Amino acid sequence: MTNETSIHSSKAPEPVGLYPHAKRVGNLLFLSGVGPREKGTKKIPGVELNDNGTIASYDIETQVRSVFNNVNLILEDSGSSWNQIVDVTVFLTNMKDDFPTYNKLWAEYFAENPPCRTTLEINCLPTPIAIELKVVATVG
């Protein structure tokens, strides 16, 4: 049986379902999908919603920076850090329009020793967001 620990961050936005922010197995840390929401609210930085709750407009740069911040908060609460990220799966809802901005910010945040990365376009995410990250990092 593996020694695993569920981690619930006190700083990151609450999960939208029944799952931990992260799970540690040995010296590996697996983060659940992380979006740009703010803790304690349903507010999504960079997103303007219509009256029916659908996206009217969004700023991908603001969302990317918020997602990166949320990932960092979870890593810190888990005993890891930004420079210990080893693999990232990126989910974008609009690859054509958003990938160039995302890629530019990636190069800014991971200027040295970037982790592995896979970027996928999907048609929607569980909340009205344009980006979500799935992250694997080391601990210790």
Side-chain angles (χ1 to χ4, degrees), residues 5-69:
T5 305
S6 292
I7 297 161
H8 301 274
S9 172
S10 63
K11 301 173 189 166
E14 299 78 6
V16 296
L18 181 61
Y19 54 86
H21 284 107
K23 194 163 279 253
R24 180 179 176 168
V25 181
N27 72 335
L28 291 177
L29 185 66
F30 300 87
L31 274 62
S32 296
V34 180
R37 281 184 307 111
E38 292 181 348
K39 180 175 175 51
T41 178
K42 294 194 184 297
K43 181 178 182 321
I44 303 167
V47 176
E48 296 295 326
L49 298 177
N50 292 319
D51 291 339
N52 64 2
T54 60
I55 299 172
S57 66
Y58 68 94
D59 177 340
I60 191 63
E61 180 169 349
T62 300
Q63 283 196 53
V64 170
R65 290 185 188 281
S66 184
V67 169
F68 284 176
N69 180 62

Side-chain angles (χ1 to χ4, degrees), residues 88-92 95 99 102 117-121:
V88 178
T89 303
V90 183
F91 301 95
L92 295 174
M95 185 77 74
F99 183 80
Y102 176 78
R117 180 181 82 182
T118 302
T119 306
L120 306 165
E121 180 179 51

Side-chain angles (χ1 to χ4, degrees), residues 75-130:
L75 291 170
E76 287 176 356
D77 270 358
S78 302
S80 187
S81 65
W82 188 258
N83 63 0
Q84 291 178 272
I85 295 173
V86 293
D87 188 53
V88 178
T89 303
V90 183
F91 301 95
L92 295 174
T93 60
N94 186 340
M95 185 77 74
K96 181 179 176 285
D97 292 340
D98 297 344
F99 183 80
T101 300
Y102 176 78
N103 206 37
K104 176 186 70 130
L105 293 171
W106 175 275
E108 176 186 318
Y109 280 77
F110 292 106
E112 296 181 23
N113 195 27
C116 294
R117 180 181 82 182
T118 302
T119 306
L120 306 165
E121 180 179 51
I122 59 173
N123 67 353
C124 67
L125 288 159
T127 58
I129 59 177

